[in-house]
Amino acid sequence: MHGHPIFKAMHATACCCRGCLEKWYRIPKGRELTSSEQERIVNLLMAWIENQKGIF
């Protein structure tokens, strides 16, 4: 997984765990992510990957 683009994206954007999501995006731990939060995270990850084209 360490070389996989999504692994890199998750860590580069602080979307790797609920602790980081809480710290950086103020999304509280202990509850399910809303559809809106999920969409926001996926969009952020995809934007980072798109921005990194040619690097992988």
Side-chain angles (χ1 to χ4, degrees), residues 38-53:
Q38 290 177 38
E39 185 176 351
R40 179 178 164 204
I41 292 164
V42 169
N43 289 339
L44 179 62
L45 293 168
M46 294 306 295
W48 188 90
I49 290 170
E50 183 68 27
N51 190 49
Q52 300 301 307
K53 273 190 175 175

Side-chain angles (χ1 to χ4, degrees), residues 1 3 12 15 20 24 31 36 40 43:
M1 283 296 292
C15 295
C20 286
W24 294 102
R31 64 164 176 79
S36 176
R40 179 178 164 204
N43 289 339

Side-chain angles (χ1 to χ4, degrees), residues 25-36:
Y25 303 105
R26 293 187 161 78
I27 298 174
K29 291 188 232 179
R31 64 164 176 79
E32 288 188 34
L33 295 172
T34 65
S35 295
S36 176

Side-chain angles (χ1 to χ4, degrees), residues 3-4 6-8 11 19-21 23 25 28 37-38 51 54:
H4 196 279
I6 196 63
F7 182 84
K8 290 181 179 183
H11 287 85
C20 286
L21 288 172
K23 179 179 180 178
Y25 303 105
E37 290 166 340
Q38 290 177 38
N51 190 49

